[in-house]
Amino acid sequence: KAALSRLILYDMSSGNDGQKHVYGEWPEAGVQDEEKRMLAEQIADLDGSYPGGLPAYLAKAKTLLKESADGTNPFEEFEASVPEGESLSFEEPNANPHTGMTFTEAEQAGLTGIGDTVFVLVAGGLGERLGYSGIKLSLETNLCTNKCYLEVYAKYIQAMQRMAHLKTGKDHIRIPLVIMTSGDTDPLTRQLLKDNNNFGFDEGQVTIVKQDKVCALKDGNAGLSMKSKWEIETKPHGHGDVHHLLYREGLVDKWYNEGKKHVIFLQDTNALVINSVLPTLGVSIAKGFHMNSICIPRLAGEAAGAIARLEHKTDPEKSLVINVEYNQLDPLLSSQGDCKGDVADPSTGYSPYPGNANNIVIEMGAYAKTLRGEDQGVVIEFVNPKYKDETRTEFKKPTRLECMMQDIPKLFQKEMGSEANIGFTMFDRWFTFSPAKNSLG
């Protein structure tokens, strides 16, 4: 009742009764009371799972939907440049003259800190686009060993744990693993672990956090989309939920108090990324990066995000290093400098902006400080409605607020300003990039 009352009060205070279709046509008491109760419980669940409740979600949605309809450019006040980072090649024994580390040096530096890390695996998706009905973590990584993705990650983490024992002489070191699941993947992930005796992890070494869905929105006024008269339609919020979930469960403060130094975020289906974890950690330690994105060379115009430094035109404290999606990068670059847009560097054949592989190393102290801020790890969201026509008022299908894990620099910038030290480490594609994304059939 309390959550429903808050929704009604918010709707009344907004002055347009945008949610009246949810609560305004209920039959009299004694008629369909069970259905009313089910809807009220769903509203309570949705209200409780989002920081600030449904009023906060809907207020954000209204603002973002208006900006979308108006065609607001989120980068209008910024200019892009290539950020500071490291470029490493497994095959090159000499240091990059611009950045100063060899692959071996970076890997050895990573070994000094691997025992003080935590791994987080973002695994909220099913394999439907791959023509596979199970969770992506259970997909085989190759036809020789038939090991699934979760087993490959598990054995790698355990190998790094043994290396930490040898490096430090401390056999008690344990490297925790957190898996973020969704309603679709949670039971199957737990069963996969159970069926395989946790893939060799100790009891309590693996933690599962489950992300919640958010309300779907039916129009530019942020009206809630109804699946039926008594059920609100919901949609995934995106893998950016991982930061708030780690904060909400108290894990980051726990790790910080235990002396853990870095959090390593991995996607669910890129087995080759394990080749680059140690050297990326080493670069983070050597350069003092608060956040370090694993990157690959990117072709100009490629449908992949790029890491860029966005320099604010009037306020240096608002400048930040962040992923810019490919559909935003070309318009941004076309509005500055030579106005050529997202074009290749003639000397390399690649874009000067490193391609984002979306695996991240984050320094624990800066992370804990940022998550304790007012946003509590809820990364700044976006909305991507598909409009029916040029009036940009009606949608082809319901939309929702979305968030991405790699947008956490927006919170670093908010909490730390210009002190946030964010960079990248780039590797050859063959060495670190083999994501399973689409069916080849």
Side-chain angles (χ1 to χ4, degrees):
K1 286 185 178 179
L4 179 60
S5 296
R6 281 195 295 273
L7 177 64
I8 294 171
L9 286 173
Y10 165 79
D11 206 30
M12 293 172 62
S13 65
S14 66
N16 54 26
D17 293 337
Q19 313 305 334
K20 201 164 186 179
H21 62 288
V22 179
Y23 60 82
E25 299 179 359
W26 285 17
E28 62 187 26
V31 179
Q32 294 186 293
D33 285 351
E34 180 63 21
E35 287 86 349
K36 296 174 193 173
R37 182 187 63 77
M38 290 174 61
L39 177 56
E41 287 181 354
Q42 186 191 22
I43 290 172
D45 289 341
L46 291 167
D47 184 74
S49 65
Y50 191 86
L54 279 176
Y57 179 80
L58 294 170
K60 285 183 183 180
K62 276 191 177 181
T63 299
L64 290 172
L65 286 167
K66 184 178 186 307
E67 290 175 354
S68 174
D70 293 343
T72 302
N73 177 5
F75 300 119
E76 186 175 5
E77 298 179 330
F78 295 91
E79 287 194 356
S81 61
V82 180
E84 177 190 356
E86 182 68 77
S87 180
L88 299 175
S89 175
F90 178 74
E91 298 176 310
E92 176 54 62
N94 299 316
N96 185 304
H98 301 293
T99 53
M101 292 187 81
T102 66
F103 181 93
T104 301
E105 288 170 344
E107 194 169 52
Q108 289 301 312
L111 275 174
T112 67
I114 193 65
D116 295 323
T117 62
V118 175
F119 281 76
V120 177
L121 187 54
V122 178
L126 295 170
E128 293 168 334
R129 283 193 298 173
L130 301 166
Y132 180 67
S133 60
I135 57 173
K136 289 191 283 185
L137 282 179
S138 65
L139 278 166
E140 295 175 353
T141 57
N142 63 80
L143 298 178
C144 296
T145 67
N146 300 122
K147 288 182 179 179
C148 70
Y149 280 98
L150 184 52
E151 182 176 2
V152 168
Y153 295 137
K155 297 308 179 186
Y156 174 76
I157 293 169
Q158 290 159 27
M160 292 300 99
Q161 185 171 283
R162 289 192 293 273
M163 290 296 293
H165 295 169
L166 294 172
K167 194 79 175 176
T168 65
K170 300 175 181 177
D171 291 344
H172 65 274
I173 289 175
R174 293 292 178 271
I175 299 178
L177 169 65
V178 175
I179 305 174
M180 185 182 79
T181 63
S182 65
D184 295 326
T185 66
D186 189 77
L188 292 173
T189 302
R190 294 177 187 274
Q191 191 64 46
L192 182 63
L193 286 164
K194 182 179 179 181
D195 290 345
N196 292 276
N197 196 27
N198 277 352
F199 291 104
F201 281 113
D202 292 342
E203 188 70 29
Q205 196 172 353
V206 180
T207 301
I208 293 178
V209 294
K210 179 182 163 187
Q211 66 179 142
D212 300 300
K213 292 185 177 181
V214 293
C215 301
L217 308 166
K218 68 184 181 71
D219 54 36
N221 196 37
L224 294 173
S225 175
M226 302 299 292
K227 197 170 182 179
S228 69
K229 180 176 176 60
W230 302 109
E231 183 180 359
I232 297 170
E233 184 177 2
T234 60
K235 289 177 175 281
H237 193 214
H239 51 50
D241 276 346
V242 67
H243 304 297
H244 174 66
L245 286 175
L246 295 179
Y247 171 81
R248 188 180 76 186
E249 298 300 317
L251 292 170
V252 175
D253 281 336
K254 174 178 179 288
W255 298 330
Y256 179 78
N257 291 332
E258 289 173 351
K260 296 294 185 183
K261 303 298 184 187
H262 289 89
V263 189
I264 299 167
F265 293 86
L266 302 180
Q267 296 289 329
D268 49 9
T269 55
N270 181 16
L272 286 184
V273 73
I274 62 178
N275 294 333
S276 57
V277 168
L278 272 182
T280 303
L281 176 62
V283 170
S284 291
I285 293 170
K287 294 184 176 291
F289 283 152
H290 296 131
M291 173 174 163
N292 188 2
S293 296
I294 295 175
C295 291
I296 56 172
R298 178 183 174 276
L299 296 170
E302 184 178 2
I307 303 298
R309 177 169 179 79
L310 300 181
E311 202 72 51
H312 197 273
K313 294 176 181 177
T314 59
D315 186 354
E317 285 293 308
K318 293 182 179 179
S319 300
L320 72 165
V321 175
I322 196 169
N323 175 75
V324 179
E325 288 302 314
Y326 68 94
N327 60 332
Q328 298 172 318
L329 183 64
D330 184 69
L332 174 61
L333 297 178
S334 296
S335 67
Q336 66 179 57
D338 59 14
C339 299
K340 291 183 178 179
D342 183 13
V343 296
D345 180 343
S347 65
T348 65
Y350 289 102
S351 165
Y353 293 87
N356 180 24
N358 218 16
N359 297 281
I360 303 167
V361 176
I362 296 182
E363 191 272 324
M364 190 71 75
Y367 192 46
K369 178 180 179 181
T370 297
L371 296 193
R372 293 183 195 123
E374 64 175 340
D375 295 289
Q376 299 178 6
V378 178
V379 296
I380 295 174
E381 295 146 309
F382 64 96
V383 67
N384 187 26
K386 304 295 186 289
Y387 294 104
K388 281 186 177 179
D389 52 44
E390 293 181 359
T391 64
R392 299 173 75 86
T393 54
E394 295 185 32
F395 306 153
K396 291 181 180 179
K397 60 181 181 179
T399 189
R400 81 285 195 186
L401 295 192
E402 299 179 63
C403 60
M404 297 190 295
M405 177 179 75
Q406 62 268 34
D407 280 346
I408 188 70
K410 295 176 182 178
L411 298 189
F412 278 123
Q413 185 274 326
K414 185 174 180 180
E415 298 299 328
M416 300 176 66
S418 58
E419 292 182 8
N421 186 12
I422 299 174
F424 68 90
T425 304
M426 186 157 64
F427 302 89
D428 295 324
R429 280 176 178 252
W430 67 265
F431 184 75
T432 192
F433 193 63
S434 62
K437 284 184 172 290
N438 297 292
S439 173
L440 298 178

